[in-house]
């Protein structure tokens, strides 16, 4: 078993789509970034890469590389899954939290879980997503940005088992 943590933050700006958990969420602002700036998926990828001891998403998908300009973070998550699988691991559990004053995330969490579950080829029971506000404190509370945290447990794959548990 290996454990990794991940964290990501992006600034909210006008004229960008708000993509979190692989879905577009209606909002007057979106997250600024080289890719689609999906903070949740970025935090999850970093937690997986961290558990593997393989650095972070900046190492694997640098923002100086035009191949990743405006790319869907779900595509990048598929690449991280491939790295994990090639190294003989599978998801044990992922627990994550989105920190945003607005919009409210609750209506979208089940769809986010389904998206992540499909890409990581695991059971929905192995993926947990929570959301919270900061009661108006900090950059999230002032609606200047959104952050996400993730912790991941990877289990050694025994016998080639990558099916949904």
């Amino acid at each position: 078993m290996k454990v990794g943590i991940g964290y990501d933050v992006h600034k909210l700006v006008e004229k960008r789509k708000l993509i979190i958990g692989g879905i577009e969420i209606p909002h007057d602002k979106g997250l600024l970034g080289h890719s689609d700036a999906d903070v949740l998926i970025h935090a999850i990828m970093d937690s997986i890469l961290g558990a593997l001891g393989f650095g972070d998403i900046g190492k694997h998908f640098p923002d100086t590389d035009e191949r990743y300009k405006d790319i869907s973070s779900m595509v990048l998550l598929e690449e991280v899954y491939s790295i994990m699988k090639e190294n003989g691991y599978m998801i044990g559990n992922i627990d994550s939290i989105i920190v945003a004053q607005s919009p409210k995330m609750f209506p979208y969490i089940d769809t986010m879980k389904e998206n992540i579950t499909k890409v990581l080829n695991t059971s929905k029971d192995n993926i947990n997503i929570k959301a919270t506000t900061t009661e108006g404190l900090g950059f999230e509370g002032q609606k200047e940005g959104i952050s996400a945290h993730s912790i991941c447990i990877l289990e050694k794959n025994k016998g080639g088992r990558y099916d949904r548990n």
Side-chain angles (χ1 to χ4, degrees):
M1 173 174 54
K2 292 187 169 201
V3 178
I5 60 171
Y7 170 76
D8 196 45
V9 61
H10 285 277
K11 181 178 181 178
L12 281 164
V13 296
E14 294 180 354
K15 299 181 182 174
R16 285 277 296 192
K17 293 179 181 178
L18 180 60
I19 309 291
I20 299 181
I23 60 172
E24 184 176 344
I25 298 172
H27 195 55
D28 61 332
K29 293 182 179 177
L31 294 170
L32 181 62
H34 186 69
S35 67
D36 64 3
D38 187 329
V39 292
L40 176 62
I41 300 303
H42 291 185
I44 289 172
M45 289 190 295
D46 268 349
S47 68
I48 294 169
L49 290 168
L52 291 168
F54 286 2
D56 61 20
I57 61 173
K59 176 182 175 183
H60 293 269
F61 315 109
D63 63 7
T64 55
D65 190 329
E66 284 302 308
R67 290 180 296 169
Y68 307 120
K69 179 75 175 140
D70 297 323
I71 195 168
S72 166
S73 294
M74 297 304 287
V75 170
L76 302 179
L77 183 60
E78 289 173 6
E79 291 190 37
V80 169
Y81 171 75
S82 292
I83 293 168
M84 179 189 77
K85 183 177 173 182
E86 288 167 10
N87 284 274
Y89 286 90
M90 56 192 260
I91 299 297
N93 176 262
I94 292 176
D95 188 27
S96 55
I97 186 162
I98 304 162
V99 184
Q101 196 65 38
S102 67
K104 296 295 183 192
M105 298 292 156
F106 181 77
Y108 308 102
I109 287 178
D110 280 342
T111 305
M112 292 176 191
K113 284 177 71 170
E114 288 171 15
N115 289 343
I116 295 163
T117 295
K118 287 177 189 171
V119 171
L120 296 179
N121 196 28
T122 191
S123 168
K124 199 172 176 182
D125 295 340
N126 293 337
I127 307 295
N128 190 48
I129 302 169
K130 305 175 294 281
T132 191
T133 69
T134 61
E135 303 298 326
L137 299 174
F139 67 88
E140 298 103 335
Q142 296 298 312
K143 302 179 185 177
E144 295 171 0
I146 295 176
S147 68
H149 303 257
S150 177
I151 187 165
C152 172
I153 296 175
L154 297 182
E155 296 176 353
K156 193 69 175 167
N157 182 28
K158 295 182 176 123
R161 189 174 64 114
Y162 283 103
D163 56 352
R164 300 183 196 282
N165 322 25

